Amino acid sequence: MPALQVFQTRFFGFSTRPFAGDDLHLVCILVGSLRLIQFLCLVPWMLYYFIDKLKGKNIWINEIPYWCPQYQALKDNVTEDIFFSKSIGAIYEDSAIVRVSSFESGDGPYIYGMVVAIVFLGINVCWLCMLWSATSLGTPTQPERRDKYLRPLIIFQLIAGLIFPIMILVRGIKFTHYVRTDNFRCGQGVTVRGRTLEEQVFYNFYSVLMVTNALEILFWPASFVGNIVRFVKKQGMFLRGKEEKEHRIQYMFGFMFRCLQCLSCGKAGGKDFKNKGELKDFAVQFMELANFETNVDFVLSDVYIGLVMLGRDQLERREAAIQLAVKENNIIRNLVRPQLQVENNSKTEGEDPIASQPHRQKLQKRGSVYILQHQESSTYQVCERHLLLQSNEEDRLLMQDLAYYSRYAQIIYKRVQPLTVEEFGLEDNATHFTRGSDTLFESRYRLSSLDCEHAMLSYACFLNGIVSTPYAILVDTAKEKVVITIRGTISIEDMVVDMQYKPAGLEKVGVICGTDLKGHCCHKGMLARSKWLYNSLRSEKVIKTLYSDESPFKDYGLVVCGHSLGGGCASLLAVMLRPSFPSIRCFAYEPPGGLIDEDLATKCEDFIVSTVKQDDIVPRLSHQNFDALRDNFFDILARIKVPKIQAFHDTRTPCTGASVKQRNSKILRHQTDIPTDTAFYQQLQKFRSERAEADYEKLYLPGKLVHLLDPGDSRPHIPYYASKHEFNHVAISKTMISDHRCFKLVGFLQNAQLCGGKENSMVSFVCNNSIAIQEEEEEEEEDAESSRFFMWCSNPYGRFPILLTLGASIAVLCSILSVTTCKFFTRSVSVYQSDVGDHSLFKITSVGLFSTGLLDCDKLDQNCTEFDKYTESPYCIPYSESQLSQNDWLSKAQIFVACQMVFAFVSLLLLCISTCYRIGRNAWIVICFMLLLSTLFQGLVFVIHRDNCGDSVFPIEDPSYSIVTSCDRGRGASSAIAACCFYFMTAVGSIYFACKK
């Protein structure tokens, strides 16, 4: 936070948005995954090439590849072993060797692309490690420390990420084109019988490697298009200023709703949503909330970490308030004990059944609960609230009604309409269920299958638009009530109505309905639906018929109920209907918090009851709560004193009340220690000075409030009478969303535990030992500078590891050179004439670990008749199976070489890391041990090869002649000796760090 501006020119710029500089860990993971895919494709490609090279398939004879039918005939002319198994006479007869061209030199793009890909992967692995470390520096609001590393790293990647993929892609395309031409290099008119290059397994990996590199190149055109769009916006071709942002907000949320409609195949609604001004009020309110003149720069990850840390800060403040109350006022806390019954025959009315509890305050008047009420200063105050008592008739009947009518608020969601189709014969696409006026009084259309056997369905409307909303009219013969139940939020249209939370006046509504609502206001979207409901009830005349003089239900009471959006509409509808039905009652289950003004909310306590479960977020959604949440969120961001990745890892572990203070102190600085010299703080101060001038009407929950308290441990919920000011903030918790589910609310209300009065039982709260006041030891904070930090050549051990890395790199290069060449030793062949005592040097050939030198005829006609006309070609061919079977030492040497290369590469990798990152002592011991093993195995390879390539004499048919061979050190042997020396010196240098504690 904020997004990192890497560079900016007049016409082109690049930033990390939508990520901040400390969010690039996600970029590291994504790029690392891409590099892993490329690595998994590159390794089989390299192995396949190495195996083909051992089999001699890398040699193209006369530019003919091995999959062509004429290749084998040409290969048979190549002499493989003219010195060991053939006589001089045979040599003169069968030594015609055709001209050959090596795959490596003839088809350079193949090897070149492989080398470039390896280098690019190696550089990117180092770059990812450095980027990860640099991203972990600083705090969300103090990016300066990490930005000085991130900018050059990102610029390097932007350049290297373009050059290297282009090099690989160009070479790959060139190689593929070369292989495909001239009938896959076999010539025209020739039927290719073998598997061509594109039919090989490794070619699939090669293709994936090319495609991934091509995708990387597309980053630049995409960035260029983005800059063009921004340039066009700056030229004034679109709406400017506040009007532009309001339109952007409208169309952004409208686009999200359209996507939701498409993903749900229309089941989520959206047909009535046109995105032509329906969200205008929301956009204006959103702009007022976020402020237009001053933008506080933050990204999505800041929202997540800020809200999580805000929840933990709320928990810490609650625990502090509880501890202070326990210490100063001797209040008992947190465990409801309704099960402690007082026997009338053994306890008197004034006796306390649990007086032996420590820190116990006797409750003499009625059952109470101590709750924490949030204050404007972001602190909590312990307040006493009355519980609903089993002994109180009014409380008991209220809870029974809340549980009873909650079922009607539930079934209107998705159960009434299918019932009318399956049991009452209504058509699938019908929008209304109506009964004739002559059948409204008949005992028909009962909802027995919905566990509402006492309810008869009189009317139902299933229209769902921006204004219209589904509802049903029921007659409950058991309670003798006419019930209007209204559906809550379930469709896109409902979400649009929820977002129209701008206050709207009620004066005109009061005039129409016959009540004085002057000066009162409410939620605009729900008011529109409530007016539609009011007009629909009048036009359908179902209520009028049910309360007519000839109706058997004319003495029934009227009840309106609903959940969520339905609860808000039910509350407003009850206000409109009360002049006509003075005895009306409304049960609003978890309605939105920003519904009506405070004065009207108090007047509605006589006939509206709102129910809230634990930490449900919807009853806490209001403009003033959003403002408070925004301010607290910004404060929390400014208080974070560690890198965001560290805070993220800490939030993954659940935090209890006992440890929250200690853990928060490691992540958050004190409110008074917020740095004031940061750009974020300056933006925030300007933002708040502008917001101080804003004024708006505060809206609250309607009527009397019953809050269901969750005591935990799967115990029944405890209801108590709450104050509307208890919901003046958004409580951040894990259950803030799940607590709003209507289907669970019915069960919670039915199983809610009422507490007894003083004649039956006492209620107390027992102090939780986990929050006992105690002095906490201050832990030393880890110095950020001493933490492990990966940066290229940051030299945490000084510059000596760089020399060790350089020595190991030279050793590995020498080892690779000694393995890949066929000139490990040079074998001289001489003919010795015993009667003359003269040595005639016939030829010098080369032998290696995996291949031997290839002889070629130096005559233009390629038909040598003299043995001395053969010359050593620059190409190598692998040993034949007969040679490998006759020389077991070759297999042993090859095994030692494989082990030596593994140890060498691992030790080199660790040495490279040591120049950038502080590794442990055990890692240095591993490096030293592997380098010594590499020295040993490299020496064994040299010794084995030298012992089996010594001087020897081969007799031939003519007893006066013999062939004498001798071996001299070649380029490969010299490289092996150099590798041994560098391995050993590097191992000796590593001992210093391995022995250092």
Side-chain angles (χ1 to χ4, degrees):
M1 175 184 186
L4 175 62
Q5 186 70 37
V6 180
F7 63 88
Q8 180 66 53
T9 63
R10 182 178 179 182
F11 301 103
F12 188 77
F14 179 77
S15 69
T16 60
R17 188 168 295 278
F19 302 106
D22 50 1
D23 293 330
L24 297 182
H25 298 95
L26 180 60
V27 176
C28 292
I29 294 174
L30 295 176
V31 176
S33 301
L34 179 63
R35 297 292 176 257
L36 179 61
I37 294 174
Q38 292 177 341
F39 176 77
L40 295 177
C41 295
L42 183 61
V43 169
W45 182 23
M46 294 173 61
L47 291 177
Y48 192 87
Y49 168 73
F50 182 72
I51 293 173
D52 276 358
K53 185 174 182 179
L54 293 180
K55 294 180 179 179
K57 291 184 178 180
N58 64 310
I59 298 179
W60 289 16
I61 304 176
N62 291 343
E63 297 185 356
I64 301 299
Y66 64 89
W67 57 75
C68 295
Q70 64 268 41
Y71 178 80
Q72 188 62 38
L74 295 173
K75 184 180 178 182
D76 293 339
N77 293 326
V78 178
T79 301
E80 297 181 354
D81 192 6
I82 62 174
F83 295 114
F84 293 118
S85 60
K86 299 186 179 181
S87 63
I88 294 179
I91 290 175
Y92 282 112
E93 295 175 357
D94 302 326
S95 59
I97 303 180
V98 299
R99 181 173 61 87
V100 299
S101 59
S102 173
F103 180 78
E104 294 90 341
S105 59
D107 303 287
Y110 187 84
I111 299 300
Y112 185 84
M114 188 183 299
V115 172
V116 172
I118 294 173
V119 173
F120 183 50
L121 282 177
I123 292 175
N124 253 260
V125 170
C126 295
W127 179 84
L128 288 173
C129 295
M130 289 187 286
L131 185 69
W132 184 281
S133 295
T135 304
S136 302
L137 298 176
T139 68
T141 58
Q142 295 174 300
E144 296 81 9
R145 187 181 169 203
R146 62 174 174 269
D147 287 354
K148 67 178 182 180
Y149 295 106
L150 290 177
R151 281 193 178 92
L153 285 173
I154 295 176
I155 291 174
F156 169 80
Q157 179 62 16
L158 290 176
I159 298 174
L162 176 66
I163 295 177
F164 279 93
I166 288 179
M167 293 171 60
I168 295 173
L169 198 61
V170 169
R171 290 294 185 176
I173 294 174
K174 182 179 178 181
F175 167 69
T176 305
H177 173 72
Y178 175 76
V179 172
R180 286 181 176 180
T181 55
D182 197 17
N183 192 22
F184 292 96
R185 311 305 301 174
C186 295
Q188 298 299 326
V190 178
T191 302
V192 181
R193 298 178 181 177
R195 298 172 62 186
T196 63
L197 186 66
E198 296 184 4
E199 295 175 343
Q200 305 295 328
V201 176
F202 90 95
Y203 189 80
N204 298 325
F205 299 105
Y206 171 79
S207 301
V208 173
L209 189 63
M210 293 298 107
V211 170
T212 54
N213 281 280
L215 291 176
E216 289 191 58
I217 299 175
L218 293 178
F219 170 81
W220 280 95
S223 180
F224 183 72
V225 171
N227 278 272
I228 292 178
V229 173
R230 285 189 288 270
F231 177 78
V232 171
K233 287 183 178 180
K234 290 182 179 179
Q235 301 306 312
M237 298 182 184
F238 296 100
L239 293 173
R240 300 297 304 274
K242 188 173 182 179
E243 185 180 2
E244 176 196 3
K245 286 200 171 185
E246 290 177 2
H247 277 77
R248 286 172 58 189
I249 293 173
Q250 291 186 56
Y251 287 110
M252 179 182 67
F253 280 92
F255 177 74
M256 291 171 56
F257 288 146
R258 288 302 181 199
C259 291
L260 178 61
Q261 181 183 9
C262 294
L263 292 175
S264 64
C265 300
K267 294 182 180 179
K271 294 181 180 179
D272 200 38
F273 174 63
K274 307 301 182 183
N275 198 19
K276 295 182 178 180
E278 297 95 330
L279 297 176
K280 181 178 180 180
D281 290 337
F282 169 77
V284 173
Q285 295 288 321
F286 188 86
M287 288 298 301
E288 292 181 0
L289 178 69
N291 200 279
F292 169 68
E293 288 77 10
T294 300
N295 290 323
V296 181
D297 197 0
F298 61 93
V299 293
L300 290 177
S301 63
D302 296 325
V303 176
Y304 170 78
I305 199 66
L307 291 179
V308 173
M309 291 308 302
L310 179 58
R312 282 182 27 174
D313 182 67
Q314 292 178 354
L315 177 60
E316 180 183 357
R317 293 177 185 272
R318 289 196 296 267
E319 294 297 326
I322 293 171
Q323 291 186 33
L324 183 63
V326 171
K327 184 177 181 179
E328 295 182 356
N329 302 324
N330 208 22
I331 294 178
I332 312 300
R333 166 250 184 205
N334 214 12
L335 178 62
V336 178
R337 297 208 172 197
Q339 70 273 20
L340 296 177
Q341 300 267 327
V342 181
E343 299 293 341
N344 290 330
N345 57 359
S346 61
K347 297 287 182 179
T348 62
E349 188 175 43
E351 289 180 336
D352 188 349
I354 51 175
S356 60
Q357 289 288 341
H359 306 296
R360 168 73 169 80
Q361 185 181 40
K362 185 176 178 181
L363 307 175
Q364 296 183 355
K365 292 185 178 181
R366 63 175 292 162
S368 299
V369 59
Y370 290 95
I371 59 94
L372 297 172
Q373 182 168 312
H374 190 267
Q375 306 296 310
E376 291 185 359
S377 60
S378 297
T379 59
Y380 290 86
Q381 179 183 357
V382 178
C383 301
E384 182 179 2
R385 296 285 183 262
H386 294 307
L387 291 161
L388 276 73
L389 302 178
Q390 183 69 31
S391 59
N392 188 295
E393 184 70 16
E394 181 182 351
D395 294 348
R396 190 175 69 253
L397 292 178
L398 175 60
M399 282 305 300
Q400 289 177 0
D401 288 343
L402 284 172
Y404 188 86
Y405 293 107
S406 65
R407 184 172 298 278
Y408 293 137
Q410 177 192 32
I411 63 175
I412 190 60
Y413 269 96
K414 292 184 178 181
R415 303 183 67 182
V416 173
Q417 185 175 13
L419 176 70
T420 59
V421 174
E422 296 173 3
E423 297 187 13
F424 301 161
L426 192 69
E427 296 181 359
D428 290 338
N429 56 354
T431 58
H432 295 78
F433 171 80
T434 57
R435 296 173 59 178
S437 57
D438 55 338
T439 64
L440 278 177
F441 308 145
E442 298 178 3
S443 180
R444 299 172 57 188
Y445 302 106
R446 292 190 176 271
L447 308 181
S448 302
S449 59
L450 302 182
D451 297 329
C452 301
E453 58 275 1
H454 301 295
M456 297 184 298
L457 181 62
S458 299
Y459 174 80
C461 173
F462 307 118
L463 289 173
N464 190 194
I466 298 298
V467 177
S468 58
T469 184
Y471 73 98
I473 302 176
L474 311 171
V475 176
D476 191 313
T477 56
K479 289 284 187 177
E480 296 186 350
K481 301 288 184 182
V482 175
V483 181
I484 302 174
T485 176
I486 306 170
R487 199 191 73 182
T489 302
I490 197 175
S491 67
I492 293 176
E493 288 83 358
D494 299 333
M495 298 178 192
V496 173
V497 172
D498 289 331
M499 296 168 70
Q500 296 172 350
Y501 61 87
K502 181 180 179 180
L506 290 172
E507 184 176 357
K508 294 183 179 180
V509 174
V511 173
I512 296 175
C513 299
T515 183
D516 183 15
L517 295 177
K518 184 177 181 179
H520 297 297
C521 58
C522 67
H523 189 289
K524 180 180 179 180
M526 296 184 189
L527 175 61
R529 283 206 168 179
S530 300
K531 291 192 293 185
W532 180 88
L533 284 166
Y534 184 84
N535 294 329
S536 177
L537 292 174
R538 294 183 61 181
S539 62
E540 296 295 338
K541 300 182 180 181
V542 177
I543 296 294
K544 183 178 180 180
T545 304
L546 290 175
Y547 284 99
S548 61
D549 293 336
E550 57 274 2
S551 171
F553 314 123
K554 61 182 178 180
D555 295 328
Y556 282 21
L558 181 61
V559 174
V560 186
C561 64
H563 173 264
S564 187
L565 171 62
C569 294
S571 301
L572 295 177
L573 182 62
V575 173
M576 297 178 186
L577 293 175
R578 194 161 190 256
S580 303
F581 300 91
S583 62
I584 190 174
R585 297 189 69 191
C586 173
F587 298 99
Y589 300 96
E590 299 174 325
L595 186 60
I596 56 178
D597 62 271
E598 186 175 10
D599 187 26
L600 182 59
T602 304
K603 293 180 180 179
C604 296
E605 291 182 357
D606 295 336
F607 60 97
I608 298 178
V609 179
S610 298
T611 305
V612 180
K613 179 180 178 296
Q614 191 65 13
D615 295 329
D616 186 2
I617 187 175
V618 174
R620 294 174 170 86
L621 294 181
S622 63
H623 201 291
Q624 64 268 24
N625 287 356
F626 277 135
D627 268 359
L629 178 66
R630 178 204 60 208
D631 292 337
N632 294 332
F633 164 76
F634 286 149
D635 285 338
I636 285 294
L637 278 185
R639 290 176 57 191
I640 296 178
K641 63 180 180 181
V642 299
K644 191 187 297 182
I645 187 67
Q646 183 177 341
F648 174 77
H649 284 302
D650 188 77
T651 56
R652 294 177 62 187
T653 305
C655 191
T656 60
S659 61
V660 63
K661 183 177 180 180
Q662 181 180 0
R663 290 182 58 182
N664 281 356
S665 64
K666 297 179 180 180
I667 306 298
L668 302 175
R669 54 171 62 94
H670 194 268
Q671 186 77 27
T672 58
D673 297 332
I674 295 177
T676 60
D677 58 344
T678 62
F680 174 80
Y681 185 82
Q682 301 301 326
Q683 291 178 355
L684 186 58
Q685 290 299 103
K686 186 178 179 182
F687 175 83
R688 285 177 172 171
S689 65
E690 295 170 354
R691 286 299 302 164
E693 303 173 358
D695 188 21
Y696 49 84
E697 185 72 31
K698 295 183 179 180
L699 303 180
Y700 297 89
L701 288 168
K704 184 183 297 184
L705 304 181
V706 176
H707 192 194
L708 297 178
L709 180 68
D710 185 3
D713 300 330
S714 301
R715 290 181 291 172
H717 285 62
I718 308 299
Y720 72 90
Y721 290 108
S723 167
K724 63 178 67 68
H725 297 289
E726 291 180 31
F727 308 99
N728 62 354
H729 79 293
V730 178
I732 307 297
S733 71
K734 294 181 178 179
T735 61
M736 59 190 295
I737 303 297
S738 60
D739 283 341
H740 190 64
R741 296 175 181 173
C742 179
F743 303 100
K744 290 187 177 182
L745 180 64
V746 175
F748 291 142
L749 287 170
Q750 292 176 346
N751 299 324
Q753 178 67 57
L754 294 181
C755 300
K758 68 174 185 176
E759 71 279 3
N760 289 332
S761 65
M762 301 293 292
V763 178
S764 69
F765 290 81
V766 179
C767 181
N768 192 337
N769 294 329
S770 63
I771 63 162
I773 300 176
Q774 57 185 357
E775 296 294 332
E776 297 180 358
E777 297 181 359
E778 294 185 0
E779 296 186 0
E780 294 185 1
E781 293 186 6
E782 184 182 1
D783 186 7
E785 296 292 343
S786 63
S787 61
R788 295 183 175 180
F789 173 65
F790 190 101
M791 184 57 61
W792 182 252
C793 293
S794 56
N795 303 329
Y797 294 100
R799 298 191 178 184
F800 186 53
I802 298 180
L803 297 177
L804 298 179
T805 304
L806 181 60
S809 301
I810 295 175
V812 170
L813 291 176
C814 291
S815 296
I816 294 175
L817 181 60
S818 66
V819 171
T820 56
T821 183
C822 60
K823 301 183 186 304
F824 198 94
F825 283 104
T826 301
R827 175 174 296 173
S828 301
V829 181
S830 302
V831 177
Y832 177 72
Q833 190 174 1
S834 57
D835 55 351
V836 180
D838 184 24
H839 286 78
S840 298
L841 182 63
F842 268 6
K843 196 52 59 185
I844 299 177
T845 59
S846 302
V847 291
L849 290 172
F850 293 94
S851 59
T852 182
L854 183 65
L855 296 181
D856 197 0
C857 182
D858 61 358
K859 294 185 65 174
L860 295 177
D861 58 1
Q862 295 293 306
N863 187 18
C864 293
T865 58
E866 299 292 336
F867 180 72
D868 57 1
K869 299 298 182 182
Y870 288 101
T871 59
E872 187 178 14
S873 70
Y875 310 121
C876 305
I877 60 173
Y879 289 111
S880 63
E881 295 182 0
S882 60
Q883 290 174 326
L884 292 174
S885 61
Q886 295 174 7
N887 299 277
D888 295 337
W889 61 271
L890 280 174
S891 301
K892 296 177 182 178
Q894 292 171 0
I895 293 174
F896 285 140
V897 164
C899 296
Q900 174 262 322
M901 295 302 294
V902 171
F903 294 143
F905 274 108
V906 173
S907 59
L908 177 60
L909 176 62
L910 292 176
L911 283 172
C912 291
I913 294 175
S914 69
T915 64
C916 314
Y917 185 78
R918 184 174 291 275
I919 60 178
R921 179 170 172 263
N922 292 334
W924 283 107
I925 295 175
V926 171
I927 291 173
C928 183
F929 180 69
M930 288 191 172
L931 287 173
L932 291 175
L933 287 178
S934 299
T935 305
L936 174 62
F937 287 142
Q938 186 68 75
L940 288 175
V941 170
F942 178 84
V943 172
I944 293 174
H945 210 306
R946 180 66 181 85
D947 289 345
N948 290 275
C949 189
D951 299 336
S952 58
V953 178
F954 295 90
I956 57 178
E957 297 177 357
D958 191 343
S960 61
Y961 290 90
S962 60
I963 295 178
V964 179
T965 63
S966 61
C967 284
D968 298 318
R969 187 173 64 247
R971 159 172 88 184
S974 301
S975 300
I977 295 174
C980 284
C981 296
F982 279 105
Y983 280 137
F984 184 75
M985 288 189 295
T986 308
V988 172
S990 302
I991 294 176
Y992 170 76
F993 297 102
C995 298
K996 186 177 180 180
K997 295 183 179 180

